[in-house]
């Protein structure tokens, strides 16, 4: 593998599972506390009104898509035309999450096709795997900090490896595996837009497997 250059497509992104030991004593200790925190979070969620909608709101805020609970509940209850763009985006996230959950009931595996269905629901279009060059990730100063893999064939190969890792590799602690799959998905950056929201939905779906 050549030296990493943030301005060149990272087509040599290493496949999963990693060749190095990732289940060190310190990391495994962290999974214990993380597991407890997840259990507490799961208990708390049961007391929230419409937890899927709250998740959609919180996750969308990461993308600087901001709306209010009032707007969301009015839109859900009143079944009226939604004018606010941020509210539309949050409701699409919720719809995409439910779509993923329903597909998992029919076939309990996370696949490339499932990812495509989720991003299409989020974006409300027929977008699929990136097939045009030039995608880069920049910081607030406009400086390129990362250039994801380029070329549909390369991207699909990386996603196929990720799919196999998620659904077949049972020798890694689930929480460590979840962190690895999320990193890998975002590093592949398979779509022109909607990668962050799709990646966070995948985490929730993985927890349901």
């Amino acid at each position: 593998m050549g030296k990493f250059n943030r301005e060149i497509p990272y087509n040599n992104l290493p496949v999963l599972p990693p060749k190095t030991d990732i289940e060190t004593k310190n990391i495994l200790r962290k999974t214990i506390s993380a597991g407890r925190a997840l259990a507490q979070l799961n208990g708390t969620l049961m007391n929230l009104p419409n937890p899927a909608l709250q998740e959609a709101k919180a996750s969308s805020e990461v993308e600087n898509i901001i709306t209010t609970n009032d707007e969301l509940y009015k839109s859900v209850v009143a079944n009226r035309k939604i004018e606010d763009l941020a509210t539309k985006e949050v409701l699409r996230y919720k719809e995409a999450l439910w779509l993923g959950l329903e597909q998992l009931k029919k076939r309990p595996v996370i696949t490339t096709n499932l990812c495509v269905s989720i991003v299409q629901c989020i974006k409300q279009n027929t977008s699929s795997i990136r097939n045009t060059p030039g995608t880069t990730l920049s910081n607030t100063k406009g400086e390129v900090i990362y250039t994801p893999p380029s070329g549909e064939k390369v991207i699909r190969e990386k996603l196929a490896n990720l799919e196999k890792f998620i659904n077949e590799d049972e020798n890694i602690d689930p929480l460590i595996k979840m962190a690895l799959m999320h990193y890998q998905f975002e590093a592949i950056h398979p779509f022109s837009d909607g990668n962050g929201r799709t990646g966070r939905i995948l985490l929730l779906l993985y927890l349901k497997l």
Side-chain angles (χ1 to χ4, degrees):
M1 183 175 67
K3 184 178 179 182
F4 172 74
N5 185 328
R6 62 185 180 182
E7 296 187 351
I8 295 176
Y10 197 19
N11 287 5
N12 287 327
L13 175 70
V15 296
L16 295 176
K19 294 181 180 179
T20 56
D21 181 19
I22 54 171
E23 292 186 303
T24 64
K25 185 180 293 186
N26 286 337
I27 290 176
L28 288 173
R29 282 175 180 161
K30 292 292 184 182
T31 64
I32 296 173
S33 57
R36 290 182 187 137
L38 277 174
Q40 292 174 349
L41 177 61
N42 187 52
T44 303
L45 284 175
M46 297 301 101
N47 298 318
L48 286 176
N50 204 330
L53 192 60
Q54 293 299 316
E55 157 60 23
K57 179 176 179 291
S59 184
S60 298
E61 286 174 355
V62 176
E63 311 278 339
N64 203 30
I65 299 171
I66 311 296
T67 188
T68 64
N69 284 328
D70 283 348
E71 282 295 321
L72 289 172
Y73 287 120
K74 284 177 185 177
S75 300
V76 172
V77 175
N79 195 27
R80 58 182 172 80
K81 184 178 180 181
I82 305 168
E83 301 292 345
D84 181 64
L85 181 59
T87 302
K88 285 183 182 180
E89 293 281 358
V90 171
L91 293 177
R92 286 173 185 170
Y93 180 100
K94 177 177 177 284
E95 182 183 346
L97 174 57
W98 281 114
L99 172 69
L101 290 169
E102 288 302 313
Q103 291 200 22
L104 280 191
K105 288 179 183 178
K106 298 174 184 176
R107 186 173 179 234
V109 291
I110 291 175
T111 65
T112 297
N113 287 340
L114 175 59
C115 296
V116 171
S117 296
I118 290 170
V119 80
Q120 288 179 348
C121 187
I122 290 172
K123 301 305 297 178
Q124 292 292 291
N125 58 29
T126 58
S127 58
S128 188
I129 305 301
R130 282 189 293 112
N131 56 16
T132 54
T135 297
T136 59
L137 303 182
S138 303
N139 59 21
T140 55
K141 297 179 181 178
E143 301 167 334
V144 173
I145 57 173
Y146 178 66
T147 303
S150 181
E152 185 175 353
K153 182 176 183 293
V154 173
I155 294 171
R156 285 190 178 276
E157 287 174 351
K158 300 296 183 185
L159 287 172
N161 166 255
L162 175 60
E163 182 178 324
K164 181 178 180 181
F165 173 75
I166 294 171
N167 299 303
E168 296 182 12
D169 198 321
E170 301 296 336
N171 298 317
I172 300 176
D173 180 274
L175 289 179
I176 297 174
K177 188 175 177 181
M178 186 168 69
L180 287 170
M181 64 171 269
H182 185 63
Y183 168 84
Q184 192 76 351
F185 179 82
E186 300 300 342
I188 296 170
H189 207 77
F191 307 119
S192 297
D193 193 21
N195 294 280
R197 282 168 285 175
T198 301
R200 289 191 291 279
I201 286 176
L202 291 181
L203 290 179
L204 298 174
L205 298 182
Y206 178 73
L207 288 172
K208 290 292 290 183
L209 287 177

